Amino acid sequence: MMRTSSDLGLSWSGGDADDRAPRDREVTAREGEAGEGAGIALSTSRLLGTLAARWRRVVTGAALGIVAAIAYTRLATPQYEATATLRLEARQSRLPSLYEDAVPRDEVFTELEVLHSRTLAADVAHALALQVTWRHARGGIVPHEPPVRDVSIADPSDTGSVTLVPLADGRYLARERGDTVAVGEPVRVLGARLTLTPAPRGVAPLTVRVAPEQEVVARLQEEVEVSRAGLQANVIVLRYASSDPQRARDVLNAWTSRYIDRRQAIRRSEAEQTARFIVSQLDTLVPQLAAAESRLLRFRDANAVVAPDEAAVVAVRQRAARQAERDDVASEKGAIDQALARARTPAAAAGESSPYRALLGIPSLLRNQASGELLRALVTLDDQRASLLVRRTSRDPDVQALTERIAQVEQQLQDITSTYASALGARVASLDASLGVEQGRLAAIPRTELELSRLERAPRVLESLVGVLQTRLQEARLNQTVQDASVRIVDRAVLPHEPSSPHLPVALAVGLLSGALGGVATAVAGEKRRPTVRTRGDLRRATALPVIGVVPHFRESRALRMGARIQASRAPRALPRAVGSTAASSPSELAASEAYLRVVLALRAQLPPGARSVLVASALPGEGKTSMVLSMGAVAARQQQRTLLVDVDLRRGGLSRALALAHRPGVVDIAHGTHDAAECLTQLAMPGGTVTDVIGAGSLTRSANLTQTMDAVRRILQWATAYELVLFDSPPINLVADAAALAPLADGVVLVARAGTTGSPAAALAVDQLREAGGHVLGAVLNDARLAAEDGNASLAEYRAYTFTRA
């Protein structure tokens, strides 16, 4: 019993194409604006989509990288790397210097440049005769032992190459010169002196080359790597790789030895120059020291200077004593002068004591025997007169006798005292003169001491300089014989036994990485050169069509492979689990089934009433139109809709191959009139007990007769009035003209594009060809799309969470 669209619960009513066009254009414009705004945000996803679509290029590039890495490891000459290490210590200079650096200098970087110098490389090249190389020509025997030994450079300017051809007697013939070369003894070959070993029978010719020195030195500088072991380590590492392991070892050992020898020679040269400088300075300073000492001695003798400081103290003390003595004498003289001045006044009145009694207050007069006796006599006489005056008068003879006696004593005292006062005055004058002399001496003491200090300082300075220079001279002479301990070899280079390159794991890793990057680059370049549609917006912008469905990526080939197992028979055959079946178990299959259902619903909405035939086309092969037809038929069967699938790809028959209908009659047989449509029908049992009918392509042909094919399609459509949906699987429209010719016969055309594969120009060209042929293009379907949240799609995880959760 045929079911109608109302029985399926689907809305089959559709509007007119002119009514749908404004709505489609509005949606297209709105989606185009959204796509332009999200272009930057989608750059990463587009890149991932590009790599997913063009993964074969990435895999091919990685495979080619691995192959190239393996070929490199097989064909490349093995390189043997040797390593040597040096340790540097801060050089403690024993030589005299006027200034010392406040901050210690890091000499490692300086020594790195010295180790990498051209001079050192030239010394090593000349010592090892690296200018001389030899190799055997291809063909013949290559001996294991080197044919050349005891190589040295005789004339570096004589360069070139000479081919030595072995002779039967073991000697060599110099091909360029035409003379024979002796073996077993030193011979001159160009600018090299070497010894050749006897040539075995059948050995290949030997080419000896003497390269220019500058070329060898420059290459050696590039090949020897000099680096610091660590930022804070005073250790220098030298590396050198060569195809000859012995040469790699010898070059580094010679390099380190020459460096240490040159460093030692520089140190010795510095010590010799320093010693000569010190000797010249000593020759100048020693006479200057002797002259300074002579001047000091003469000054001491001339000024009687022993100890200026002590002499100054003694002089000060003596002057103080003389000053005190002078003050005492002056005071005593003043007292005597005052007493004499009073005594010389008019005679005292009668009864008064003598004025010379005042001299009793001068101790020095009392200590003098003469003056003391006179003073005592004066006192006695004066006392006697005073006693007589009590009883007698001044005219008394006894009183007058005592007065005369007193006058005589006073005269004597006056004479003695005057003389003594004169002596005191002379003493004061003498002391004043002495004080003046001592004051002059004290004033001269600072100048003498200053001059003495100056004369003493010169010998001290010169003596100190002479002592330091003599010490440094001994150290400089010692440095000429002592080895430099500031640098030493930590590890000498040893003979490497394993080649350092090529290293297979590293080469494989580099080859894989570079090949993969090259594949990514080609994929991106291919995308830029031939842009593809990846999202709904890309497909809409490329075709200007409404996108009626987006089918996510899933393993669609499984259904086709399992469908190929069906045996050809007239009985309904069971289609194994397909995408459109309810038995779909993975989230990707379930999401794809829902997408196919939306495509079927959209088709019915786009088709006008009574229309039922749809041509499924694609721009190029491999875009999934066959699986689209098969899956849409499965979805329609699940909805209890009677569907007919027709394979009109008469060149390859994709649907027929998928369902193993290659040997059954089909469209070609209907076109030739040998069979009718009913005879070519094959039934497929779908899940749920429904049946989907299929008409295969029949006998495939390379050049189909389009007129007959179109007649066959018309007869099929006239016969298939009982079907609600007829799907035609057509060939690629950009390759052959079949789809363009058949498009007007169907009620509508659906264009299938594969995300990341279909180019935008190809999709646009396919739409133009379909429209030019008169086909009614209903819309486009994006197949094998990578769902992205930014495109508004639900992710597979959301499908899993929603559909696999039990109520």
Side-chain angles (χ1 to χ4, degrees):
M1 176 181 178
M2 298 292 293
R3 293 181 178 270
T4 62
S5 60
S6 59
D7 296 333
L8 296 175
L10 303 176
S11 177
W12 302 107
S13 61
D16 188 76
D18 295 336
D19 297 335
R20 292 192 301 269
R23 183 177 69 251
D24 295 341
R25 286 194 295 269
E26 179 181 356
V27 174
T28 302
R30 184 170 60 253
E31 191 174 70
E33 294 176 358
E36 293 176 359
I40 298 177
L42 294 178
S43 58
T44 303
S45 61
R46 290 185 66 85
L47 175 62
L48 296 178
T50 299
L51 298 181
R54 303 176 185 270
W55 61 270
R56 291 182 178 84
R57 295 192 179 187
V58 179
V59 173
T60 302
L64 291 177
I66 293 175
V67 171
I70 295 175
Y72 169 73
T73 56
R74 297 287 184 181
L75 301 177
T77 303
Q79 298 291 318
Y80 296 85
E81 183 179 80
T83 305
T85 55
L86 295 173
R87 178 177 179 179
L88 293 177
E89 296 180 357
R91 183 183 297 182
Q92 302 295 333
S93 178
R94 297 293 183 181
L95 304 180
S97 60
L98 297 178
Y99 302 98
E100 293 292 340
D101 293 336
V103 180
R105 293 175 297 175
D106 190 354
E107 297 183 355
V108 177
F109 292 105
T110 303
E111 298 304 322
L112 287 175
E113 297 300 324
V114 173
L115 277 167
H116 207 263
S117 63
R118 182 185 179 281
T119 304
L120 191 58
D123 288 348
V124 174
H126 186 76
L128 299 180
L130 299 181
Q131 293 177 244
V132 183
T133 57
W134 59 87
R135 61 182 179 86
H136 285 280
R138 294 184 178 181
I141 301 174
V142 177
H144 296 287
E145 296 296 330
V148 179
R149 55 185 176 86
D150 301 335
V151 182
S152 61
I153 299 297
D155 184 5
S157 61
D158 190 2
T159 61
S161 61
V162 173
T163 303
L164 303 178
V165 181
L167 301 177
D169 56 358
R171 294 183 300 166
Y172 291 88
L173 172 64
R175 180 181 298 171
E176 289 77 5
R177 299 184 305 186
D179 57 345
T180 59
V181 180
V183 297
E185 59 184 25
V187 295
R188 174 79 177 269
V189 177
L190 297 176
R193 185 174 297 276
L194 49 86
T195 302
L196 295 171
T197 59
R201 183 180 297 275
V203 71
L206 179 68
T207 300
V208 178
R209 179 175 182 265
V210 179
E213 182 180 2
Q214 293 183 355
E215 174 187 339
V216 176
V217 171
R219 184 171 64 250
L220 192 61
Q221 280 186 284
E222 294 178 358
E223 294 175 351
V224 174
E225 178 184 352
V226 183
S227 61
R228 190 171 187 171
L231 185 61
Q232 300 297 330
N234 292 342
V235 177
I236 297 177
V237 181
L238 294 91
R239 294 183 176 88
Y240 176 66
S242 174
S243 58
D244 184 3
Q246 185 174 358
R247 176 175 177 174
R249 177 198 61 188
D250 294 343
V251 164
L252 287 190
N253 288 335
W255 200 288
T256 53
S257 299
R258 293 283 174 172
Y259 167 71
I260 294 177
D261 293 343
R262 290 180 63 85
R263 187 181 174 97
Q264 185 66 28
I266 293 173
R267 179 172 179 174
R268 289 175 180 172
S269 176
E270 291 177 352
E272 292 176 358
Q273 294 177 4
T274 304
R276 288 195 297 268
F277 173 76
I278 293 175
V279 169
S280 65
Q281 294 299 312
L282 286 175
D283 293 341
T284 303
L285 293 177
V286 169
Q288 293 179 0
L289 176 60
E293 291 175 344
S294 299
R295 287 194 298 270
L296 177 61
L297 182 59
R298 289 194 301 269
F299 181 80
R300 286 182 180 272
D301 293 341
N303 295 275
V305 177
V306 178
D309 295 338
E310 296 180 0
V313 173
V314 173
V316 170
R317 289 178 181 176
Q318 289 178 354
R319 186 181 183 283
R322 291 184 186 276
Q323 184 67 40
E325 182 182 0
R326 188 261 180 200
D327 293 340
D328 292 341
V329 173
S331 177
E332 185 179 1
K333 181 181 179 298
I336 292 174
D337 290 341
Q338 290 177 2
L340 290 175
R342 286 194 301 270
R344 291 190 182 99
T345 59
E352 292 182 358
S353 58
S354 175
Y356 286 95
R357 289 176 67 96
L359 297 176
L360 292 173
I362 300 173
S364 60
L365 293 177
L366 293 175
R367 289 193 297 269
N368 191 338
Q369 185 177 0
S371 60
E373 291 293 336
L374 290 174
L375 285 173
R376 283 190 293 272
L378 178 63
V379 171
T380 302
L381 292 173
D382 194 32
D383 289 342
Q384 290 177 359
R385 189 184 70 169
S387 298
L388 288 177
L389 287 176
V390 173
R391 299 185 305 271
R392 302 175 184 180
T393 62
S394 59
R395 293 189 180 101
D396 185 75
D398 293 333
V399 173
Q400 292 181 350
L402 289 175
T403 301
E404 291 178 359
R405 181 63 179 160
I406 290 173
Q408 293 176 356
V409 173
E410 288 178 349
Q411 184 63 40
Q412 291 178 359
L413 280 174
Q414 182 180 0
D415 295 338
I416 293 174
T417 303
S418 298
T419 302
Y420 183 67
S422 298
L424 289 178
R427 179 62 179 166
V428 169
S430 176
L431 290 175
D432 287 339
S434 298
L435 287 173
V437 173
E438 291 176 356
Q439 183 66 28
R441 290 180 179 178
L442 286 175
I445 283 176
R447 292 192 299 272
T448 304
E449 186 177 1
L450 180 61
E451 183 65 19
L452 180 63
S453 299
R454 186 182 65 80
L455 293 175
E456 286 179 342
R457 183 169 59 253
R460 282 199 306 270
V461 173
L462 292 174
E463 184 177 1
S464 176
L465 288 176
V466 169
V468 170
L469 291 178
Q470 287 177 345
T471 303
R472 300 309 187 198
L473 178 60
Q474 297 300 324
E475 293 178 354
R477 289 174 176 173
L478 184 62
N479 286 335
Q480 297 179 18
T481 58
V482 176
Q483 294 292 328
D484 187 6
S486 62
V487 58
R488 66 177 183 270
I489 299 177
V490 178
D491 292 319
R492 297 185 65 86
V494 298
L495 187 67
H497 298 287
E498 296 293 334
S500 59
S501 66
H503 194 262
L504 182 59
V506 175
L508 290 177
V510 173
L512 177 62
L513 180 61
S514 59
L517 292 177
V520 171
T522 56
V524 173
E527 176 66 20
K528 290 184 177 181
R529 184 175 61 256
R530 182 176 175 268
T532 59
V533 294
R534 300 190 180 281
T535 63
R536 180 191 296 267
D538 294 341
L539 183 58
R540 187 181 295 273
R541 285 188 292 272
T543 60
L545 295 175
V547 180
I548 61 177
V550 177
V551 180
H553 171 76
F554 74 103
R555 297 181 61 184
E556 62 181 12
S557 59
R558 178 172 59 179
L560 301 182
R561 289 197 305 268
M562 298 184 69
R565 300 176 184 175
I566 300 175
Q567 301 296 326
S569 65
R570 293 302 304 272
R573 59 192 66 191
L575 183 66
R577 187 181 71 178
V579 175
S581 68
T582 57
S585 58
S586 67
S588 60
E589 292 178 352
L590 186 58
S593 177
E594 296 295 332
Y596 287 128
L597 179 58
R598 283 192 291 270
V599 172
V600 173
L601 296 177
L603 283 179
R604 301 308 302 172
Q606 294 285 346
L607 288 172
R612 65 183 186 278
S613 59
V614 176
L615 179 71
V616 180
S618 66
L620 298 170
E623 298 183 357
K625 57 179 178 52
T626 299
S627 61
M628 181 68 65
V629 170
L630 181 61
S631 299
M632 289 172 59
V635 169
R638 190 180 67 187
Q639 299 297 327
Q640 302 297 319
Q641 179 181 1
R642 189 172 182 184
T643 306
L644 174 64
L645 309 181
V646 182
D647 187 0
V648 292
D649 186 0
L650 306 185
R651 303 172 188 270
R652 299 190 63 179
L655 184 62
S656 302
R657 293 187 180 185
L659 299 178
L661 301 178
H663 300 289
R664 294 191 56 78
V667 177
V668 175
D669 301 286
I670 297 175
H672 292 165
T674 58
H675 295 78
D676 56 14
E679 296 175 344
C680 299
L681 189 66
T682 300
Q683 294 182 338
L684 297 177
M686 305 302 293
T690 60
V691 176
T692 297
D693 295 336
V694 180
I695 296 178
S699 303
L700 300 180
T701 177
R702 291 184 179 180
S703 57
N705 190 324
L706 290 180
T707 302
Q708 295 180 352
T709 303
M710 294 172 62
D711 292 339
V713 171
R714 291 190 186 95
R715 287 196 292 271
I716 292 174
L717 289 175
Q718 293 174 359
W719 171 81
T721 55
Y723 292 95
E724 298 174 85
L725 182 62
V726 179
L727 299 176
F728 290 96
D729 183 14
S730 65
I733 190 171
N734 290 357
L735 293 183
V736 294
D738 298 17
L742 299 176
L745 303 181
D747 297 327
V749 181
V750 174
L751 180 67
V752 178
R754 183 178 294 274
T757 302
T758 304
S760 300
L765 177 61
V767 173
D768 292 342
Q769 292 182 1
L770 289 172
R771 286 176 174 173
E772 291 173 359
H776 176 48
V777 184
L778 302 176
V781 177
L782 183 63
N783 188 31
D784 198 21
R786 304 282 177 174
L787 298 182
E790 57 266 25
D791 294 333
N793 299 310
S795 64
L796 294 180
E798 293 173 327
Y799 275 106
R800 182 184 294 105
Y802 183 79
T803 58
F804 284 80
T805 302
R806 296 184 179 181

